[in-house]
Amino acid sequence: MRVRIPAKPPKGFRGREASRPPIMQLVKLGGSVLTDKARVTTLRPGHLRRLAGEIARSGEDLIVVHGAGSFGHIKALRHGLHQGYVNDDQIPAVAEVQRDVRVLNLAVLDAFRRAGLRPVSLPPSAIARMEDGALRYLDLEGFRMYRDLGFTPVTFGDVVLDTRRWFSICSGDLLMLALAEAFRPKSAIFVADVDGVYTADPKRVKSAKLLREVRPDTLSMVDTRSSEAHDVTGGLEGKLRRMITVAQYTDRCLLLNGLKKGRLVAALRDERVVATRVTP
Ligand code: IPE
């Protein structure tokens, strides 16, 4: 069935355009900040509350993507969901992981509403399709219409139907890429649990240095080997490659530390902040 999209807004409609300029920013709240990645389905409520407050305080027009953290990666890895369909035993696990990531999403929506935002959820399991692990379709019209009405669209890493593999993991980073390509945001900000991109894993290597900028030709300076333990979506290397592609569609692509108070709001307001800038 084709749904008619209203050509004109309803009478009396003021919407977003009346109050704010149509310049948008994309934010990905990484699962490593929102959840304890080592403990299954464990939220970090304090960080979530603070980040929701920072987003609301910025007053910026945003689309928010969040990762799955321990609400997704642990069970997805245990049942090999990143390989697509292998056997029937995975089916209950797909249902369970889809349920778990929605529990996390609900916590994000609640925190956003309490902070004064008007979030709406756009679950990829319902509005996206993949093909052999690549995102092939995303209902962008939904994002557009909710934004026009002044909502903050929120989507998240999920298990999604795949036309070749039956199902695939759709990471928040893949969603960032699709949304950046479609909306050409003013900036794309990736919120993680480290200050930015280091030459090596700063949690293990003391001499690791923070890089202020990463470009395709400086990627070889980054040692990404130790980052993949609990990750079914490609680890740091995959993440950096996707960020470089995202950077093609925005003026400013940043990776910053969401555990440090005030960094996200500063970045959203275009103030100077400790971060790594990724350029195409
Ligand atoms: C992963 O999403 C989705 C699932 C495992 C279901 P992300 O890859 O975006 O999550 P984080 O940010 O790394 O936790």
Side-chain angles (χ1 to χ4, degrees):
M1 190 179 83
R2 270 184 73 84
V3 179
R4 274 195 42 218
I5 306 287
K8 276 192 199 151
K11 215 168 164 242
F13 171 79
R14 293 183 69 242
R16 178 178 53 79
E17 309 302 344
S19 52
R20 288 187 237 163
I23 308 162
M24 186 258 280
Q25 303 195 58
L26 266 179
V27 173
K28 183 194 169 190
L29 300 175
S32 57
V33 183
L34 300 183
T35 78
D36 179 343
K37 271 200 129 171
R39 285 188 209 164
V40 76
T41 56
T42 307
L43 192 66
R44 297 170 100 178
H47 290 303
L48 171 57
R49 207 177 310 123
R50 180 180 45 77
L51 290 167
E54 291 192 26
I55 287 172
R57 256 193 297 142
S58 77
E60 287 288 314
D61 170 23
L62 298 181
I63 292 180
V64 177
V65 177
H66 66 79
S70 62
F71 288 72
H73 286 278
I74 297 174
K75 289 181 189 170
L77 191 64
R78 192 182 298 154
H79 297 279
L81 303 189
H82 52 301
Q83 298 160 6
Y85 177 88
V86 177
N87 60 54
D88 283 357
D89 296 344
Q90 293 172 304
I91 302 299
V94 170
E96 196 175 330
V97 172
Q98 281 196 355
R99 178 241 172 231
D100 287 351
V101 293
R102 283 188 183 221
V103 169
L104 174 61
N105 180 241
L106 214 51
V108 172
L109 297 182
D110 283 342
F112 279 20
R113 277 196 313 105
R114 280 190 205 111
L117 295 161
R118 288 170 287 180
V120 280
S121 177
L122 292 152
S125 59
I127 62 157
R129 289 286 180 279
M130 300 183 78
E131 188 184 318
D132 217 8
L135 186 57
R136 280 286 168 259
Y137 170 78
L138 185 65
D139 176 16
L140 295 167
E141 195 58 37
F143 287 88
R144 211 167 275 135
M145 289 184 72
Y146 277 122
R147 272 191 66 226
D148 287 347
L149 280 164
F151 289 99
T152 303
V154 180
T155 190
F156 51 90
D158 204 348
V159 190
V160 167
L161 282 171
D162 186 303
T163 53
R164 293 263 177 96
R165 304 179 184 176
W166 287 106
F167 52 80
S168 273
I169 302 286
C170 180
S171 70
D173 292 356
L174 278 181
L175 293 160
M176 286 290 280
L177 182 51
L179 293 167
E181 188 177 358
F183 294 110
R184 312 287 163 132
K186 179 169 82 174
S187 61
I189 301 172
F190 290 78
V191 181
D193 62 346
V194 284
D195 285 351
V197 182
Y198 284 80
T199 48
D201 183 352
K203 290 171 194 157
R204 293 161 202 243
V205 185
K206 271 209 172 128
S207 60
K209 283 199 176 66
L210 178 68
L211 297 166
R212 289 302 178 147
E213 192 185 351
V214 169
R215 298 187 305 262
D217 59 324
T218 55
L219 208 54
S220 57
M221 289 169 66
V222 184
D223 178 4
T224 55
R225 278 171 304 180
S226 58
S227 68
E228 269 129 65
H230 299 284
D231 202 308
V232 290
T233 49
L236 182 59
E237 168 141 26
K239 184 180 188 72
L240 287 178
R241 293 200 181 283
R242 276 186 297 275
M243 283 186 73
I244 285 172
T245 318
V246 168
Q248 293 173 2
Y249 304 114
T250 178
D251 292 341
R252 202 169 56 121
C253 180
L254 299 179
L255 180 76
L256 58 77
N257 196 340
L259 301 178
K260 304 270 172 76
K261 204 170 145 189
R263 292 210 183 153
L264 176 59
V265 67
L268 288 169
R269 289 176 176 159
D270 208 359
E271 292 164 7
R272 268 179 74 86
V273 66
V274 177
T276 296
R277 189 172 184 145
V278 178
T279 46

